[in-house]
Amino acid sequence: MEPVRVTIWNEFIHERTDPKIASVYPHGIHHTIAQGIAEYGFQIRTATLEEQEHGLSEKVLNSTDVLIWWGHLAHDQVSEEVVTRIQRRVLQGMGLIVLHSGHRSKIFQRLMGTTCDLKWREDAKRELLWVVNPAHPITQGIGEYIDLKPEEMYGEFFDIPAPEELIFISWFEGGEVFRSGCTYTRGLGKIFYFRPGHEAYPTYYHKQVLRVIANSVRWVASAHGAAPTFGNTAPFVRF
């Protein structure tokens, strides 16, 4: 079986402009995630905002089975042409994993059809990321919950369509609760939104968080391939 081809996209601004964040992710969040899930046998490339076409050319996307997206400061700077290109590929069967502040990305908003607004506080508090569906492939090997301390607090109401599957719910020491792991399908593509990952905290070094990302890569990797198949593809048999 061919390895799943994963592209990890990160706007890569915080890590280059803020010394505190650079000390946590010296080579960028994308690099840390790539290293953290490398043991799972994926074929991984990375891409960033400053690259030509944001590193997401037609050629790159056509050879991507799963796109992982992390964005925060520069949602408005992402090219509409690139967003349309990603949307088309998701509808054709490419998996999409949206992390943390990626809920405000153009591509997630377009696929959800809502504002994707939520409540949030930058206060760093303990988070228990509770498993809602222990039978789901995304939660394989996770246990009852993931203990994250500290993390930025997100809270309901989260303006998204009702998830097709709710995988995680977060409880924060500050009192908020949040739908932290949600799945959707759009066309032939599977989508997973996964909340943890504030840039100031070492969340993407956490073994269980990395396992969730790896599990979700396998889950969203569509069996349909890069393009839909129309009609009866079975050979014609005369009776």
Side-chain angles (χ1 to χ4, degrees), residues 27-178:
H27 303 292
I29 287 171
H30 53 299
H31 181 266
T32 300
I33 295 173
Q35 281 198 320
I37 65 173
E39 65 184 85
Y40 292 90
F42 307 131
Q43 180 181 314
I44 301 171
R45 64 157 55 94
T46 61
T48 62
L49 180 74
E50 65 184 0
E51 296 177 48
Q52 185 175 1
E53 299 181 87
H54 310 320
L56 299 173
S57 65
E58 292 276 8
K59 181 178 180 181
V60 167
L61 287 174
N62 285 338
S63 60
T64 297
D65 300 312
V66 177
L67 175 63
I68 299 175
W69 188 276
W70 195 99
H72 186 198
L73 293 176
H75 299 311
D76 291 342
Q77 297 177 40
V78 176
S79 159
E80 293 289 344
E81 180 181 355
V82 170
V83 173
T84 298
R85 190 180 295 164
I86 296 168
Q87 180 184 23
R88 182 170 62 247
R89 283 287 292 120
V90 170
L91 297 178
Q92 291 174 341
M94 182 182 73
L96 177 65
I97 299 168
V98 177
L99 299 174
H100 193 58
S101 293
H103 68 91
R104 290 300 305 273
S105 65
K106 289 181 180 179
I107 183 58
F108 192 61
Q109 289 180 330
R110 187 180 294 187
L111 290 165
M112 295 299 103
T114 59
T115 67
C116 302
D117 284 340
L118 48 79
K119 293 181 181 178
W120 60 276
R121 289 193 288 140
E122 287 187 345
D123 300 356
K125 297 288 185 180
R126 183 186 185 189
E127 172 187 357
L128 294 183
L129 185 66
W130 286 94
V131 171
V132 174
N133 186 347
H136 199 282
I138 289 176
T139 63
Q140 179 184 357
I142 300 303
E144 289 187 319
Y145 61 85
I146 300 174
D147 194 344
L148 298 173
K149 44 181 182 277
E151 254 294 355
E152 182 182 38
M153 291 187 288
Y154 278 12
E156 299 290 342
F157 175 69
F158 187 13
D159 184 23
I160 51 173
E164 293 169 20
E165 297 174 298
L166 183 60
I167 309 298
F168 294 100
I169 289 178
S170 286
W171 169 87
F172 295 89
E173 189 177 357
E176 285 86 350
V177 293
F178 189 72

